Amino acid sequence: MYEVYNQQLDTMATTTIVPTVVVGSPEKHYRSQIDRLKHITTTSKSIMELVQVKRHATALEEVIRKLQRDYELSQDILPYAIEVRLSCQREIGKLLAESKKKKSPPLKVSEMGLTKRESSLFQRFANASDKAFHAALEKLKTEVVNGRYKSISTKRLLEELQMQVNGKDSPQQQSSVIKPSDNWNFSSIRYPRLQSQTDDWGYIPGDLYVNCLWYYAKPGDIVVAPMAGMGQIQRVYDDRKDWMRGDFFDFTLKLLDLNPRGPYEDKIQANDLTEKLPVEKADYIIMDIPYFGMVGNQYSHNSKDIANITNYQDWLKAMHAISKNCSIAQLPQGLCTVITPNYRHVTSQEILMVTDDIRSIWTSCGYQLFDKAYASRRIQKTQNISMARLNKAAKKQRIMLTDISEILTFIKL
Ligand SMILES: C[S@@+](CC[C@H](N)C(=O)[O-])C[C@H]1O[C@@H](n2cnc3c(N)ncnc32)[C@H](O)[C@@H]1O
């Protein structure tokens, strides 16, 4: 039988997580709460108590996340709360594993306030050595402090633990972010929008850049992102050890954009791509272009911004100028990737086969289609009333919504 509540829970019972009642410095207040949870985690031998700690730590994490948005707390307090929650989960896992060994008639996991999934997950955490677990946590916490990730996902932690076991440069295990087929749909995103981005839409996940770089870039290449936006590709490049693993290599990455912005702004050169591409011999060009008719005024109010062109013929003319400038900057065999979906409008019933037009334009500028992959724009990921209305309208009007982007890669002839 498990020991249940073998300690007085008075310490826990008084733990309240209500931001409005905080008197004095919230930073101090929450830090001391986390310290207390940490202390109980390291001393407790009761699963039930640890489950309580886990709940408190999860709630604290949420509060801290909300407060951080208002810039009231320092950057390292959230990772600290996450660390305590994960350590607590690992302690629960250890006790669960011990009780199995002792063959003591266990309580059902649901009676302990856990799901079966949690029970097996926490035991996986417990399987890792202290050294591996702490090394993994340190690395992932740093990524949260740096703003690369908003949190530490379970998936990331498990992958990192696996890497700690295999050795960092182990070639056996390839990153799950790399897709083995031309279906580049991601059930969970490894490189989500950068923290400073205010909107989810109008930006591809870094996972797409990972796959493009994996399949099309070579060691020593000059890789150019002439519509780099906020520099998601730079983040992915900086993190390449993680997804390249044993096949790690360097290349030169050049970032340009009409409106340099975001955390990598200082690395992005201002440039109007319809005018020129000031790079000689680009081995690989990769472009997440503004999708026609979907992102007006999303990136800027600049009239040179392709996103703000409302007439399709004008948009195609701009794309033609861009294709020509890419062609000038590349030698034969150079690769150029363009990411775009087609266009459909449910109300006006307009359908434009944008991907075919892009292909004709690039072909007319000295390229040939080399490869193609597909990725969901994840338009259905949020199921709310407006999405339900849109879906209904699409079916009623017999005009499909556009969810798939094509990743078209051309080769210079
Ligand atoms: C789809 S976004 C790219 C976003 C990027 N993938 C990211 O994650 O931040 C398209 C980018 O094209 C840029 N752009 C629009 N017109 C341009 C032009 N004429 N020359 C260069 N860049 C342009 C916009 O500023 C925007 O950053």
Side-chain angles (χ1 to χ4, degrees):
M1 191 69 181
Y2 286 110
E3 305 161 63
V4 178
Y5 287 105
N6 60 350
Q7 294 177 9
Q8 275 297 315
L9 281 183
D10 56 332
T11 47
M12 295 304 305
T14 56
T15 307
T16 48
I17 304 171
V18 183
T20 47
V21 299
V22 173
V23 179
S25 150
E27 173 89 27
K28 258 194 186 163
H29 175 82
Y30 291 113
R31 215 170 265 282
S32 79
Q33 290 214 11
I34 305 170
D35 286 344
R36 197 150 95 233
L37 296 181
K38 185 177 180 180
H39 175 72
I40 303 172
T41 298
T42 46
T43 52
S44 178
K45 291 281 168 244
S46 154
I47 294 182
M48 300 294 261
E49 185 179 42
L50 287 170
V51 169
Q52 290 281 56
V53 173
K54 173 187 78 84
R55 285 202 189 119
H56 280 73
T58 308
L60 252 181
E61 222 175 289
E62 274 317 298
V63 170
I64 291 169
R65 212 183 289 282
K66 282 203 180 83
L67 285 182
Q68 247 183 357
R69 264 179 239 148
D70 300 333
Y71 309 107
E72 285 185 49
L73 300 175
S74 61
Q75 279 292 315
D76 64 342
I77 188 163
L78 178 63
Y80 181 36
I82 298 174
E83 176 184 18
V84 170
R85 194 238 318 148
L86 290 168
S87 303
C88 175
Q89 293 176 336
R90 181 160 179 263
E91 290 309 312
I92 297 174
K94 280 184 188 169
L95 293 178
L96 286 171
E98 264 172 37
S99 73
K100 260 191 204 161
K101 271 191 212 144
K102 282 185 197 155
K103 297 208 172 91
S104 47
L107 287 176
K108 283 189 188 149
V109 283
S110 60
E111 288 168 333
M112 292 182 250
L114 294 170
T115 62
K116 279 191 182 153
R117 190 182 161 272
E118 283 177 319
S119 160
S120 78
L121 178 67
F122 299 170
Q123 288 180 70
R124 283 177 76 187
F125 291 167
N127 282 342
S129 69
D130 285 350
K131 192 173 163 220
F133 191 75
H134 292 304
L137 268 189
E138 275 315 304
K139 177 170 177 209
L140 301 180
K141 267 167 49 189
T142 311
E143 291 176 347
V144 176
V145 174
N146 291 343
R148 271 183 169 181
Y149 294 95
K150 285 188 284 183
S151 189
I152 298 177
S153 71
T154 303
K155 189 176 166 213
R156 277 290 286 131
L157 178 58
L158 289 174
E159 275 184 5
E160 193 54 39
L161 288 174
Q162 190 64 50
M163 275 174 78
Q164 298 286 341
V165 171
N166 290 345
K168 284 220 176 292
D169 296 329
S170 165
Q172 306 97 300
Q173 263 258 326
Q174 276 166 342
S175 170
S176 59
V177 78
I178 295 172
K179 291 289 174 187
S181 73
D182 58 2
N183 174 352
W184 292 2
N185 288 318
F186 307 94
S187 53
S188 64
I189 299 288
R190 168 77 74 84
Y191 299 101
R193 70 191 170 104
L194 292 161
Q195 265 192 338
S196 42
Q197 282 170 212
T198 47
D199 287 306
D200 229 350
W201 52 287
Y203 295 91
I204 55 169
D207 308 44
L208 280 189
Y209 281 121
V210 166
N211 280 275
C212 286
L213 293 172
W214 180 262
Y215 285 107
Y216 305 126
K218 295 181 302 307
D221 268 0
I222 294 176
V223 175
V224 182
M227 290 188 164
M230 290 212 173
Q232 174 77 263
I233 192 170
Q234 183 71 46
R235 173 218 229 173
V236 158
Y237 179 74
D238 293 346
D239 211 31
R240 66 197 182 288
K241 246 188 189 156
D242 241 49
W243 49 267
M244 284 184 169
R245 308 223 168 144
D247 296 314
F248 179 83
F249 64 83
D250 295 325
F251 52 85
T252 303
L253 179 61
K254 294 197 176 183
L255 276 63
L256 306 98
D257 197 281
L258 186 68
N259 318 293
R261 62 197 183 282
Y264 300 97
E265 186 177 345
D266 57 341
K267 293 191 183 242
I268 306 172
Q269 182 182 338
N271 178 60
D272 180 354
L273 189 55
T274 60
E275 295 286 328
K276 61 184 184 312
L277 180 50
V279 176
E280 273 178 39
K281 296 185 205 142
D283 296 296
Y284 179 42
I285 299 174
I286 170 163
M287 248 182 297
D288 173 26
I289 62 173
Y291 301 162
F292 176 72
M294 301 188 204
V295 282
N297 294 307
Q298 166 78 8
Y299 312 110
S300 71
H301 299 293
N302 191 332
S303 61
K304 299 272 180 189
D305 191 326
I306 311 284
N308 304 338
I309 302 180
T310 50
N311 177 293
Y312 187 52
Q313 292 312 315
D314 292 343
W315 189 86
L316 290 179
K317 265 188 215 151
M319 292 318 297
H320 192 267
I322 286 173
S323 172
K324 230 168 131 184
N325 290 332
C326 290
S327 179
I328 293 167
Q330 293 202 282
L331 294 174
Q333 300 302 305
L335 296 179
C336 178
T337 293
V338 184
I339 302 170
T340 182
N342 287 316
Y343 173 85
R344 297 186 193 86
H345 198 279
V346 172
T347 320
S348 69
Q349 308 211 336
E350 191 177 16
I351 299 177
L352 299 170
M353 289 293 111
V354 179
T355 57
D356 281 358
D357 290 335
I358 289 288
R359 181 175 177 174
S360 311
I361 289 172
W362 256 255
T363 308
S364 74
C365 292
Y367 291 92
Q368 182 179 304
L369 188 62
F370 172 74
D371 203 359
K372 204 194 258 195
Y374 306 86
S376 167
R377 295 174 52 228
R378 298 162 67 89
I379 61 167
Q380 303 287 351
K381 79 172 187 290
T382 319
Q383 285 301 320
N384 51 23
I385 292 186
S386 54
M387 198 64 227
R389 281 206 192 105
L390 209 53
N391 286 341
K392 197 171 162 199
K395 291 191 208 176
K396 195 164 167 29
Q397 298 279 34
R398 298 179 189 232
I399 298 286
M400 293 178 276
L401 300 174
T402 304
D403 189 23
I404 295 296
S405 289
E406 293 190 11
I407 297 109
L408 303 163
T409 298
F410 300 94
I411 187 162
K412 178 90 187 286
L413 298 176

